[in-house]
Amino acid sequence: MGKKGKKDKKVKGAEKTAAKMEKKVSKRSKREEEDLEALIAEFQSLDAKKTQVVETVCTPPSARLNATLSAHPEKDELILFGGEYFNGTKTYLYNDLFFYNIKKNTWVKLDIPNPPPRRCAHQAVVVPQGGGQLWVFGGEFASPDGEQFYHYKDLWVLHLSTLTWEQIRVSGAPSGRSGHRMVLCKRQLVVFGGFHESARDYIYYNDVHAFNLDTFAWSRLTPSGSGPCPRSACQMTPVPDGSGILIYGGYSKVKAKKDVDKGTIHSDMCLLKREGKDELMKWVWSRVNPLGVKPTPRSGFSLAVGPGGRALLFGGVCDEEDEETLDGDFLNDLHLYDTNKNRWFPAQLKGHRSDKKKRRRGIKGDVGVEGAGQEEGPVQEEGPVEIVKEIVTEDGTVMTIKEMISGTAKEEESEEEDEEEEGGAGAALVEPCPRSNAMAAVKNGKLYLYGGMFEVGDRQVTLNDLYALDLHKMDLWEVLVEMDSKSQEWLEETESEEDEEEEDEKTAQGGNGEDEESEEDSDDAEDDEDEAEHPPVKPGEDLADFQSRTEQYWVGLARANMGSDTKDKKVTKVGLAMAKVFYEEQA
């Protein structure tokens, strides 16, 4: 009994500490939120001018992350709401609403009166009642400089049959937060976790709340047992029979030595199960040890629920932290968790293979997600292999992204190369580039993936592409909207720009504007000269010879742009990629 008493005291002590931290964070962030409330109110005054529903056929939505993508319960449509975009100097938040028609591959923007305020990192759940409803809870609003945050605790519903927004104003809601998760379990919206952040403090949650769709009342659940530690951005999947909810992974951070934030990627799994009925019903936490090939630890992964009670996990990022730097390895692999079998499966795409090639390779049949049609004899998988890709933007910046692929995927890739060389029928697998914080949804047995982001050095690349994958065939990703790398905008204040600002101030105080203009003209001329100094492509020279002849020049140029701390191997790859881009432009 003595040991149990000590354990109970530790649990209660941890709860008291969390309560004190939450009160401290709330007090410090109150002034910041008051400032942001004025800005939010200004945006809402603009939204108040909307008096009728306006439908506009449009191009795909702008690049964004941390939005929500939901499947319409009655129509072959996807619903995209909110999100954020950062261009290097300014943060943009959205509350726009888009409908994607799956059959027509078209987008419609709907301006509906009285929408929720702009936000990101919120949650949206679709329910079929009343002709279909989209429920939205929480999220955050950031100041344009990204230094202040306002966390919502409001609850909204979009009535899809009448295209009207309604705010549900009832007491007892969870505290303001973002990065939480919300799912439909029976007739309840269940909310777990999330975080609240101010300029100086933050707190992560592991509390559980439920909103009853029949009584329109919030309640805080108090499950027994040992549940997940506080976290955000986990995977939350309802069990098909509605008896419980699975929670996997997530992210949290704590203050380490010297007030340095240390992030933790969680990879544990818990089951929140309901037991009993009516007044006797209670919720219980239990630990789950899944079988199969588990995903590597990561944060920022995309999640959706597929047919047959399968949870889908795509991409994400694994951060490598030390005292001075934070590097992220972005991923584009897909994993499936079967809630009925308690087993993880890596999703290996089959692609299109010619029968001739299958016989030559000795393959008896394609291996499905669960291992259907397996090869004879044991198969030894090779370790993961690092693949490097380059993306070139309109301004000539070469962005290098890395991904890890399994030995099986590498073997498939080599088969495709052989087939191409021998004129076979095999086609190269098209897939979304590695990314985190993308939006995912499943409709009619297909997984849809939209947007997200990845980083290259200090630069953030935000995406607006759309992919689809048939979860029954598991063969190829279908590109519905291509990524437009030329539209990537990245603004970054440099020392030269700061000097120019100082010159502007001097000019405003009586300086000579003509001298400043002449300096700008001189800078433009120097830029033109720099472009002209690139080694020219000789007549009839192929790419390999051009790269070999000018490698030293391009590697030196890449080194100047990437800094002295970058590894030689990476600098060489970027330099050769720059040479290739220049060669193709000249050719």
Side-chain angles (χ1 to χ4, degrees):
M1 293 296 292
K3 291 183 179 179
K4 186 176 180 181
K6 287 183 179 180
K7 186 176 181 180
D8 290 341
K9 286 182 180 180
K10 287 183 179 180
V11 172
K12 290 181 179 179
E15 291 177 351
K16 287 183 179 179
T17 302
K20 289 180 180 178
M21 177 62 74
E22 183 173 351
K23 187 175 181 180
K24 183 180 178 182
V25 170
S26 177
K27 186 175 180 181
R28 287 189 175 184
S29 62
K30 187 175 182 180
R31 176 178 291 182
E32 297 174 11
E33 294 192 342
E34 287 175 351
D35 294 339
L36 290 180
E37 281 177 350
L39 185 56
I40 293 171
E42 185 177 336
F43 282 124
Q44 285 185 290
S45 66
L46 297 175
D47 290 330
K49 296 179 181 179
K50 301 175 182 177
T51 58
Q52 59 184 358
V53 177
V54 179
E55 296 187 20
T56 307
V57 177
C58 62
T59 57
S62 60
R64 63 189 66 197
L65 64 150
N66 288 327
T68 51
L69 186 67
S70 309
H72 196 294
E74 295 188 350
K75 299 180 180 180
D76 289 334
E77 294 179 341
L78 303 178
I79 307 170
L80 182 71
F81 174 73
E84 65 176 310
Y85 173 74
F86 179 60
N87 68 358
T89 61
K90 188 175 181 179
T91 298
Y92 296 85
L93 277 297
Y94 305 109
N95 67 340
D96 44 8
L97 182 69
F98 296 89
F99 284 71
Y100 173 71
N101 188 301
I102 293 174
K103 291 183 178 179
K104 297 180 181 178
N105 190 24
T106 56
W107 290 90
V108 172
K109 181 179 180 182
L110 267 77
D111 289 308
I112 300 176
N114 186 39
R118 304 176 181 213
R119 68 190 63 204
C120 67
H122 52 283
Q123 282 288 277
V125 171
V126 168
V127 299
Q129 69 185 45
Q133 298 174 342
L134 178 74
W135 289 83
V136 176
F137 172 75
E140 73 180 42
F141 178 88
S143 59
D145 62 6
E147 296 294 329
Q148 293 178 298
F149 306 94
Y150 180 91
H151 296 266
Y152 296 103
K153 61 176 182 178
D154 51 352
L155 180 66
W156 294 76
V157 57
L158 173 64
H159 299 279
L160 297 172
S161 60
T162 59
L163 295 180
T164 55
W165 280 109
E166 178 187 1
Q167 184 175 3
I168 308 300
R169 302 179 184 272
V170 293
S171 60
S175 58
R177 63 189 64 195
S178 59
H180 53 286
R181 292 293 178 258
M182 180 171 74
V183 297
L184 177 66
C185 185
K186 293 292 188 182
R187 294 287 298 159
Q188 291 183 314
L189 300 176
V190 180
V191 176
F192 170 80
F195 71 97
H196 185 289
E197 182 178 13
S198 69
R200 290 180 291 179
D201 292 297
Y202 51 81
I203 181 172
Y204 285 79
Y205 301 104
N206 65 343
D207 50 352
V208 187
H209 299 259
F211 179 79
N212 191 302
L213 293 172
D214 295 320
T215 63
F216 274 37
W218 281 106
S219 62
R220 178 165 181 169
L221 306 183
T222 54
S224 60
S226 177
C229 62
R231 65 191 63 190
S232 70
C234 60
Q235 184 176 43
M236 194 169 174
T237 309
V239 176
D241 63 3
S243 63
I245 300 171
L246 285 159
I247 292 174
Y248 167 78
Y251 176 85
S252 64
K253 60 181 179 180
V254 296
K255 292 286 185 184
K257 296 179 180 179
K258 300 179 182 179
D259 289 332
V260 176
D261 295 338
K262 181 172 180 60
T264 299
I265 297 175
H266 304 284
S267 57
D268 55 339
M269 181 177 284
C270 292
L271 173 65
L272 177 62
K273 191 172 183 179
R274 47 197 291 167
E275 297 180 350
K277 294 182 178 180
D278 301 328
E279 292 82 5
L280 299 177
M281 189 188 72
K282 62 179 182 178
W283 293 85
V284 180
W285 282 116
S286 62
R287 294 283 171 173
V288 177
N289 294 312
L291 304 172
V293 182
K294 303 175 184 178
T296 55
R298 67 193 66 196
S299 62
F301 50 76
S302 306
L303 53 105
V305 178
R310 288 187 176 182
L312 305 169
L313 183 153
F314 174 85
V317 58
C318 181
D319 292 328
E320 299 176 357
E321 298 184 53
D322 57 35
E323 295 182 357
E324 297 181 355
T325 61
L326 174 64
D327 293 324
D329 282 333
F330 288 82
L331 307 166
N332 66 344
D333 50 350
L334 178 65
H335 296 262
L336 297 91
Y337 173 76
D338 192 317
T339 57
N340 298 309
K341 297 181 179 180
N342 185 30
R343 192 178 191 89
W344 281 105
F345 297 96
Q348 297 289 353
L349 303 190
K350 303 171 186 176
H352 293 318
R353 298 285 188 272
S354 64
D355 293 336
K356 180 180 178 180
K357 276 296 170 185
K358 288 179 183 177
R359 288 195 297 270
R360 185 176 65 82
R361 294 286 176 180
I363 299 177
K364 302 298 182 182
D366 284 332
V367 179
V369 176
E370 297 186 13
Q374 298 196 10
E375 299 177 15
E376 297 178 358
V379 178
Q380 294 183 350
E381 293 189 0
E382 297 181 14
V385 179
E386 181 178 282
I387 301 297
V388 179
K389 297 181 179 179
E390 289 85 18
I391 294 178
V392 183
T393 61
E394 188 175 31
D395 60 7
T397 303
V398 179
M399 298 175 293
T400 304
I401 56 178
K402 295 187 294 183
E403 62 177 306
M404 302 298 292
I405 64 173
S406 66
T408 304
K410 184 176 184 295
E411 182 181 345
E412 290 179 353
E413 185 175 307
S414 65
E415 288 179 18
E416 290 159 11
E417 291 175 356
D418 291 343
E419 289 173 356
E420 289 175 1
E421 289 176 3
E422 297 177 20
L429 290 178
V430 177
E431 57 186 6
C433 72
R435 67 190 68 196
S436 70
N437 301 97
M439 289 63 72
V442 173
K443 181 68 177 179
N444 297 334
K446 279 191 175 184
L447 171 64
Y448 293 87
L449 187 77
Y450 189 88
M453 59 81 71
F454 64 87
E455 296 173 346
V456 179
D458 295 331
R459 177 171 183 160
Q460 177 176 304
V461 181
T462 308
L463 307 165
N464 70 332
D465 48 359
L466 177 64
Y467 287 81
L469 176 65
D470 191 318
L471 296 173
H472 299 294
K473 297 180 180 179
M474 294 298 294
D475 51 359
L476 296 170
W477 282 99
E478 181 183 1
V479 184
L480 302 174
V481 177
E482 292 186 356
M483 181 185 72
D484 184 6
S485 59
K486 294 183 179 180
S487 67
Q488 294 297 329
E489 176 187 45
W490 186 254
L491 307 176
E492 191 170 0
E493 189 174 50
T494 62
E495 293 181 2
S496 61
E497 288 174 342
E498 292 173 358
D499 293 340
E500 287 177 7
E501 289 178 1
E502 292 178 1
E503 290 296 329
D504 290 340
E505 292 176 2
K506 292 178 181 179
T507 302
Q509 296 171 3
N512 189 338
E514 293 180 0
D515 292 341
E516 190 174 329
E517 289 180 6
S518 63
E519 289 178 6
E520 290 179 356
D521 292 340
S522 176
D523 290 340
D524 291 341
E526 288 178 4
D527 289 341
D528 292 339
E529 289 176 5
D530 287 341
E531 282 189 16
E533 289 176 359
H534 292 326
V537 178
K538 295 180 178 179
E541 187 176 28
D542 61 22
L543 175 60
D545 291 338
F546 176 74
Q547 287 179 319
S548 177
R549 179 173 62 83
T550 63
E551 178 178 350
Q552 187 174 355
Y553 167 81
W554 293 107
V555 171
L557 189 61
R559 172 64 69 187
N561 291 330
M562 301 175 71
S564 58
D565 296 333
T566 309
K567 295 180 179 179
D568 292 339
K569 186 177 180 180
K570 186 173 183 179
V571 173
T572 300
K573 288 183 177 179
V574 172
L576 292 176
M578 294 170 68
K580 181 180 178 182
V581 171
F582 179 76
Y583 175 87
E584 291 175 347
E585 288 177 350
Q586 299 302 309

